[in-house]
Amino acid sequence: MGILLSEHKSFLIRRRIPEEPVAELQDELYLDDDSFQRFTALESKRFNHQSFSFSVVKGENHCEIKADYFVGIDWLGKTGRTIYVEPKINSGLSQYFRNCLNEEENSTETPEEFNNKEKAEAKEINYLSILLDIMSLPDTARYSKDVIQIDWKAQPITIDQKADRLTPFLIVQFLQHLKTIVRKGLKKSYYKVQENLNNKVKGKVLEGQHIKKNVFKNRLTSTFCEFQVFGEDHLENRFLKKVLEFVASYIGNNTSLFPAKSDLPAIKDILNYCRPAFEHISTDVDEYQLKNIKKNPFFNEYGEAIRIGQLILKRFSYTITKTTQKKIETPPFWIDMPRLFELYFYYQLVKANPGDEQYIHYQFSTYGNYLDILISKPGFEMVIDTKYKLKYTKSHIHKDIRQVSGYSRLKKVVHKIKSKNEAWDENNILNCLIIYPHLYQPSENSLYVPQSLLTSFKIKDIQKQFENKENQITAYHKIFKLGINLPVS
């Protein structure tokens, strides 16, 4: 039996105690002593040195499993059960977040519980649409490698094809990398060809096959040779075409996994864009070559496409018929939604500010700390921190604010600002901005747009919105917050 959760929700495993009443709730499960005993050794699953894919809080007669901001499926230790976390976000928490940020430092009026309306407003984040955008720009695509973790060593988990989150994610990554390759043009390389030549010898004579194909058949004028040819039909391009065939088969047989109106046409457009470039490329490559292909460091654009292509083929056990199955086996995996959210904002920023790339510093390193984004454009200097947080307690919020304001006072940050603007006064206090998820979805009939929603990602327009009191965190000086829309399905 699997446990189904959405982001930042909890599930309670309880020990069944004889003669005590049992409350059958949707997010609780009662087990007998033997079954409950398996959960006593369950530990939190670490995603990286800062975060957990899910955490475990144990008591004498209960075990609480908490989903964090990660989407995926995994085994719950050695309990024999699985956990499946959906990409859902509670839109009611956006209002809670705004209320918390406007509270004074010592205020006690911030509500600790959400009302029923807030709890009910759960929407599913369209992470594929986000990924399509991120992968469409080389500047943002190159940071997407660590967004997902796959545990190939663990035992696969059997799920319905319609519940597959991993394969669509990998396919979108692969197709966008492939589109970049096709746009630049397929690389040419030397590759070996074996051919039975008539009245000539070229390259190396393959004696064994020559005897079998020519001598035994009395073809005295033919010679079976192996020689090198310079062109596009080499191993790497054959590998990419092989993966493309798997991808096309999967998309054709599982269109329901790409439900958004804009996503499926966009994915098919990329597929149709890439196919003609591989029309004259062979797929004559064996499984051993597919598993052991190496990327060429001189062609970086091929590196990620080959790496993700290997994951896709491994996902289907190198068997194309598995792209049509209704029941599939998937390795445990986790998608880092905060990282995806961070890259999505960075994508919007780069796209909206052409020519200002030199002033947008992503993951700016400062003595072991990494700022999400530093803007060094003269007159618009600011530190930006993205927070994909759905449930903010007051202490957490103030901790985040102190973190981003601390970044703004690092000498390395000040020196970077100074290098772009010599007139900058080092005693100035930098603007600090927190970006958070805003799930306001404008309707066709409504012209209302909340002041807290970031509608333009141009640097000058972002700074202009600081003038709105709603976007100012009044307990702090020069600390602002703005929300951005996330696509939902």
Side-chain angles (χ1 to χ4, degrees):
M1 174 185 172
I3 294 174
L4 177 64
L5 291 173
S6 57
E7 295 175 65
H8 216 64
K9 296 296 181 180
S10 298
F11 193 91
L12 203 58
I13 307 292
R14 292 186 181 273
R15 185 199 302 269
R16 189 186 298 274
I17 300 176
E19 299 180 358
E20 281 195 6
V22 175
E24 296 292 345
L25 300 177
Q26 186 177 4
D27 54 357
E28 291 187 4
L29 177 65
Y30 284 82
L31 300 175
D32 57 37
D33 283 344
D34 291 341
S35 298
F36 182 81
Q37 197 65 28
R38 298 176 184 174
F39 285 86
T40 59
L42 182 62
E43 300 293 338
S44 301
K45 182 66 176 284
R46 185 173 290 278
F47 185 88
N48 53 36
H49 68 283
Q50 293 180 326
S51 308
F52 291 91
S53 302
F54 64 87
S55 56
V56 177
V57 179
K58 287 180 282 190
E60 184 179 354
N61 294 310
H62 73 271
C63 177
E64 185 179 10
I65 301 168
K66 296 182 177 181
D68 207 332
Y69 301 105
F70 298 87
V71 171
I73 186 169
D74 206 344
W75 292 102
L76 284 171
K78 297 182 179 180
T79 64
R81 296 176 184 267
T82 58
I83 180 173
Y84 179 51
V85 182
E86 297 178 308
K88 290 188 177 179
I89 190 171
N90 192 323
S91 58
L93 300 180
S94 293
Q95 181 61 45
Y96 177 81
F97 178 48
R98 291 197 296 273
N99 293 340
C100 286
L101 285 177
N102 287 323
E103 292 293 331
E104 295 296 332
E105 175 72 20
N106 298 317
S107 174
T108 58
E109 298 178 0
T110 304
E112 294 296 332
E113 298 292 335
F114 308 114
N115 59 42
N116 291 332
K117 182 180 178 182
E118 288 173 332
K119 290 181 178 179
E121 293 178 346
K123 297 181 180 181
E124 183 160 334
I125 300 300
N126 189 343
Y127 67 96
L128 287 181
S129 182
I130 294 174
L131 187 64
L132 271 170
D133 285 339
I134 291 171
M135 300 301 298
S136 65
L137 284 181
D139 285 345
T140 51
R142 63 193 179 102
Y143 292 107
S144 67
K145 181 178 179 180
D146 298 327
V147 169
I148 189 167
Q149 287 185 3
I150 307 173
D151 187 359
W152 294 105
K153 296 180 180 179
Q155 179 184 349
I157 300 171
T158 301
I159 60 172
D160 291 331
Q161 183 80 271
K162 63 183 180 180
D164 187 9
R165 303 280 186 188
L166 173 61
T167 310
F169 192 93
L170 294 176
I171 282 176
V172 168
Q173 281 189 308
F174 175 78
L175 285 177
Q176 290 286 32
H177 281 301
L178 196 65
K179 183 179 179 181
T180 301
I181 291 172
V182 172
R183 187 187 295 119
K184 290 183 177 181
L186 299 185
K187 77 168 185 175
K188 295 182 179 181
S189 179
Y190 284 101
Y191 59 95
K192 293 181 179 179
V193 173
Q194 295 180 359
E195 190 175 339
N196 210 12
L197 302 177
N198 190 32
N199 288 323
K200 64 179 179 179
V201 175
K202 189 175 182 180
K204 175 183 176 182
V205 177
L206 301 180
E207 295 180 359
Q209 295 187 55
H210 172 67
I211 292 171
K212 183 178 178 180
K213 293 179 179 292
N214 297 320
V215 176
F216 287 167
K217 295 181 180 180
N218 203 29
R219 296 172 179 167
L220 303 179
T221 61
S222 297
T223 308
F224 197 85
C225 302
E226 181 181 78
F227 53 94
Q228 286 191 327
V229 174
F230 185 76
E232 295 178 343
D233 193 19
H234 52 83
L235 179 60
E236 289 166 294
N237 286 338
R238 290 183 184 185
F239 171 83
L240 294 178
K241 183 174 182 179
K242 191 77 172 180
V243 179
L244 191 61
E245 289 183 346
F246 276 70
V247 167
S249 175
Y250 184 87
I251 294 173
N253 288 286
N254 301 281
T255 54
S256 62
L257 295 179
F258 307 90
K261 293 180 180 179
S262 59
D263 291 352
L264 186 59
I267 290 170
K268 287 186 174 180
D269 285 345
I270 299 172
L271 195 63
N272 294 332
Y273 177 82
C274 294
R275 271 176 165 167
F278 291 88
E279 184 177 354
H280 301 293
I281 305 298
S282 170
T283 57
D284 184 18
V285 53
D286 60 37
E287 187 174 315
Y288 175 80
Q289 290 175 309
L290 292 178
K291 289 181 178 180
N292 295 281
I293 190 170
K294 304 295 182 182
K295 66 179 183 180
N296 190 328
F298 293 103
F299 296 90
N300 291 327
E301 62 271 15
Y302 271 75
E304 273 299 283
I306 290 172
R307 185 186 70 84
I308 297 170
Q310 287 173 323
L311 297 182
I312 292 173
L313 295 187
K314 192 173 184 179
R315 161 72 185 78
F316 294 114
S317 303
Y318 303 89
T319 306
I320 198 168
T321 55
K322 289 192 175 183
T323 60
T324 63
Q325 293 178 345
K326 299 305 177 186
K327 286 283 186 179
I328 64 170
E329 289 187 339
T330 182
F333 71 93
W334 291 101
I335 299 172
D336 188 346
M337 295 299 288
R339 176 77 163 168
L340 205 64
F341 175 65
E342 178 185 298
L343 284 171
Y344 181 64
F345 174 72
Y346 178 50
Y347 156 80
Q348 299 287 2
L349 202 59
V350 172
K351 182 182 176 183
N353 296 277
D356 285 338
E357 293 86 354
Q358 60 177 318
Y359 302 117
I360 303 173
H361 313 282
Y362 179 69
Q363 289 290 294
F364 184 72
S365 175
T366 57
Y367 310 107
N369 297 309
Y370 289 90
L371 281 69
D372 287 350
I373 297 171
L374 172 65
I375 305 295
S376 62
K377 185 175 181 178
F380 303 94
E381 297 87 352
M382 70 182 82
V383 172
I384 303 177
D385 203 20
T386 59
K387 295 296 181 186
Y388 183 77
K389 294 189 176 180
L390 318 180
K391 181 180 179 181
Y392 265 74
T393 63
K394 196 176 175 188
S395 59
H396 291 158
I397 291 171
H398 289 294
K399 179 181 176 181
D400 292 338
I401 295 169
R402 291 172 184 133
Q403 180 188 47
V404 69
S405 60
Y407 287 154
S408 69
R409 284 156 176 79
L410 288 168
K411 287 186 177 180
K412 194 171 181 180
V413 171
V414 175
H415 292 162
K416 189 67 175 180
I417 297 294
K418 189 77 173 177
S419 70
K420 300 293 183 179
N421 183 7
E422 294 182 358
W424 170 262
D425 185 355
E426 295 183 2
N427 294 318
N428 283 346
I429 297 177
L430 271 174
N431 287 331
C432 296
L433 173 63
I434 291 177
I435 296 291
Y436 64 94
H438 199 307
L439 289 184
Y440 170 76
Q441 298 293 320
S443 63
E444 295 180 358
N445 300 324
S446 175
L447 298 177
Y448 169 74
V449 177
Q451 289 186 337
S452 57
L453 180 65
L454 190 56
T455 54
S456 171
F457 291 88
K458 291 184 178 180
I459 294 174
K460 64 177 182 179
D461 293 335
I462 292 175
Q463 184 164 295
K464 190 175 182 180
Q465 283 195 247
F466 292 173
E467 299 171 4
N468 297 330
K469 189 172 180 59
E470 187 177 350
N471 302 328
Q472 301 170 6
I473 302 176
T474 55
Y476 294 88
H477 182 53
K478 287 194 172 184
I479 306 289
F480 307 92
K481 44 92 179 182
L482 284 167
I484 65 171
N485 260 339
L486 291 179
V488 295
S489 56

